[in-house]
């Protein structure tokens, strides 16, 4: 009987240790919860490669909710405009203001409070929880959906894939697992030309091509 832990999770994590995008600045271990939230909002509908160059100076200039709330929308727009993220400036300011209005003045650690922040949806909230609290869940975007639907030969139904991803997520390495799925989908299990012949998960994959 196929064991998903040994047939999918373990080899995927092993691949990521060697080939993952460990240089992405928002994955640095000392990033604060707010800096992680900043990254997740900037990454919405935008590639990691596009955000990578702009993130470090952006986070250095706006490291806290206070710094974002104190900036003008126009000022933030000027920094994110090259990424095509002008609308994200207003999201960030309103989100920062909501955080400051909380008794703790910090990023929420619970899902209902996170999705209540402006510009934060299901994926962003789940990803923040994974990275901030280590919660053993997964965040599903189109890349993760493609990878799991291909490997396990299931329809890419949003709810069904979300349940599967959560079941696969290791309780102690959820952030590594999330990164591994995203990076593998971007580098190996790509949209148009998946690298099936050299794929380290090829053996048990239900959709492997010759």
């Amino acid at each position: 009987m196929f064991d998903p832990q040994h047939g999918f999770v373990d080899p995927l994590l092993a691949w990521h240790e060697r080939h993952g995008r460990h240089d992405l600045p928002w994955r640095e271990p000392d990033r604060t919860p707010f800096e992680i939230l900043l990254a997740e909002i900037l990454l919405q509908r935008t590639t990691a490669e596009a955000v990578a160059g702009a993130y470090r100076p952006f986070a250095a200039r706006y490291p806290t909710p206070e710094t974002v709330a104190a900036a003008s929308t126009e000022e933030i727009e000027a920094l994110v405009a090259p990424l095509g993220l002008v609308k994200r400036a207003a999201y960030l300011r309103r989100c920062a203001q909501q955080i400051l209005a909380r008794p703790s003045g910090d990023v929420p650690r619970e899902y209902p409070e996170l999705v209540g922040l402006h510009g934060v949806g299901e994926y962003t909230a789940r990803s923040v929880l994974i990275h901030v609290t280590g919660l053993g869940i997964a965040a599903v975007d189109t890349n993760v959906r493609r990878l799991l639907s291909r490997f396990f030969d299931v329809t890419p139904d949003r709810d069904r894939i979300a349940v599967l991803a959560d079941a696969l997520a290791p309780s102690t390495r959820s952030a590594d697992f999330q990164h591994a799925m995203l990076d593998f989908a971007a580098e190996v299990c790509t949209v148009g030309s998946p690298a099936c012949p050299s794929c380290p998960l090829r053996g048990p994959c239900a959709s492997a091509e010759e």
Side-chain angles (χ1 to χ4, degrees):
M1 180 179 293
F2 176 70
D3 179 356
Q5 179 68 41
H6 293 98
F8 180 77
V9 177
D10 289 345
L12 183 65
L13 288 170
W15 174 89
H16 183 258
E17 288 174 3
R18 296 187 60 187
H19 305 290
R21 297 177 291 184
H22 303 294
D23 58 340
L24 293 176
W26 49 88
R27 294 184 181 177
E28 294 167 354
D30 58 345
R31 289 295 176 187
T32 67
F34 184 69
E35 289 173 332
I36 291 170
L37 178 59
L38 275 181
E40 292 297 340
I41 292 177
L42 291 175
L43 285 164
Q44 293 171 0
R45 299 184 181 181
T46 312
T47 65
E49 290 74 18
V51 176
Y55 175 76
R56 192 172 276 113
F58 191 93
R61 186 165 180 174
Y62 304 111
T64 64
E66 290 85 354
T67 55
V68 173
S72 68
T73 301
E74 293 75 19
E75 180 184 322
I76 300 174
E77 284 178 350
L79 289 180
V80 298
L83 301 175
L85 304 177
V86 174
K87 292 183 179 179
R88 223 67 55 87
Y91 294 172
L92 288 168
R93 287 197 75 248
R94 185 169 176 184
C95 181
Q97 291 165 352
Q98 288 178 289
I99 291 172
L100 292 175
R102 289 170 45 80
S104 66
D106 199 3
V107 175
R109 266 58 168 186
E110 300 292 335
Y111 180 82
E113 287 76 21
L114 272 169
V115 293
L117 297 177
H118 194 69
V120 175
E122 179 182 356
Y123 177 89
T124 298
R126 281 176 158 264
S127 189
V128 169
L129 288 174
I130 291 166
H131 293 93
V132 172
T133 71
L135 190 62
I137 59 174
V140 177
D141 66 356
T142 55
N143 297 300
V144 171
R145 190 177 300 115
R146 179 177 68 252
L147 170 62
L148 296 183
S149 65
R150 283 176 176 174
F151 186 90
F152 292 97
D153 191 24
V154 296
T155 57
D157 175 78
R158 179 175 179 176
D159 293 336
R160 183 174 184 180
I161 294 294
V163 171
L164 174 59
D166 279 352
L168 293 168
S171 59
T172 59
R173 297 187 64 186
S174 56
D176 288 339
F177 181 64
Q178 185 68 29
H179 297 163
M181 289 194 293
L182 293 172
D183 294 355
F184 196 83
E187 302 292 332
V188 180
C189 196
T190 57
V191 177
S193 303
C196 292
S198 60
C199 176
L201 306 182
R202 175 181 173 79
C205 178
S207 303
E209 300 176 357
E210 295 296 335

